[in-house]
Amino acid sequence: MIGYILQNQGKNRPIYKMNLQRNRGDAMLKIAVCDDEPAYAKQISDRIKRFMPDCEIERFLSGEDLLLCGALFDIYFLDIQMEKMNGIEAAKKLRERNEESIIVFFTGAKEYVFDAFDVAALQYLVKPVDDAKLQETLVRAKKEIEKRQGRKDRQIFIKAGHKNMALNLCDILYFENQRRKIAAHTLRGEISFYGVMADMERETGADFCRCHRGYLVNLFHVTEYDRETITLSNGERIYLSKDRYHDFVKQYMRYLRNGGVSHV
């Protein structure tokens, strides 16, 4: 969920004593800073490095240069008001490449805040960005990355035929009720096993939604929905019950507020 932060100018806010050092064994975070003002790009990069010394930072002076680079970063700091391609446009292109990256906007104007929702930005900072808000944003970004990694690692265990199998929840598009059996539709194909849909709801948790009597959908893979159907990341469409529509929307919004990734 995006946070909207306005600066309290003229006030010296305390810097929080938070640990932004990486733990032993953690991969080094890669951060991109994109601003068409070289001096500001260097300044914000230096301040990020001060709070997160173990990170790797690369600076870009335009959205085009960032996209041409082709590298993927964990966190993107993007200025919105850039010539030619602005930060919002660059973020939309980045989302097509990497759905789980963290995006933070900073700008001198407030009127773009609602555009930031379209790319599920973590934060919208208004210049000048003070140290306390920058550090607070870095802490949030680090927590989001850890949370999303945790989602990737979650598994459920099923028995399909004579085989006991572990399924990664992030690979499951949806579960389909097939009388006494349940079909798990995954990125690699379909797996059927004996089970009860209510048990699957409990095991998968809030990242999955019972959108229809016959379907339990993974919210991570939702790309589009209306009052009757949900479109998934592989192009498949499943039914959305009219009487479950409002509950689905509420759960999906809650999922996004808790750091879930939007494809819509």
Side-chain angles (χ1 to χ4, degrees), residues 29 58 61 91:
L29 290 180
E58 196 164 341
L61 299 180

Side-chain angles (χ1 to χ4, degrees), residues 223-257:
T223 61
E224 186 179 319
Y225 65 87
D226 55 34
R227 289 185 172 271
E228 296 181 349
T229 60
I230 297 171
T231 305
L232 303 173
S233 58
N234 68 339
E236 279 192 73
R237 300 177 76 185
I238 60 175
Y239 291 115
L240 172 57
S241 298
K242 290 181 180 179
D243 60 344
R244 295 179 190 249
Y245 173 78
H246 292 294
D247 288 338
F248 166 78
V249 173
K250 285 180 184 176
Q251 186 172 339
Y252 188 59
M253 292 301 107
R254 193 181 308 120
Y255 162 80
L256 294 179
R257 284 197 301 270

Side-chain angles (χ1 to χ4, degrees), residues 87-106:
I88 299 288
E89 293 169 342
K92 289 178 180 178
K93 296 287 186 183
L94 291 169
R95 274 282 175 255
E96 294 174 6
R97 299 181 182 180
N98 186 358
E99 296 149 347
E100 294 203 18
S101 58
I102 301 293
I103 292 176
V104 177
F105 289 118
F106 51 87

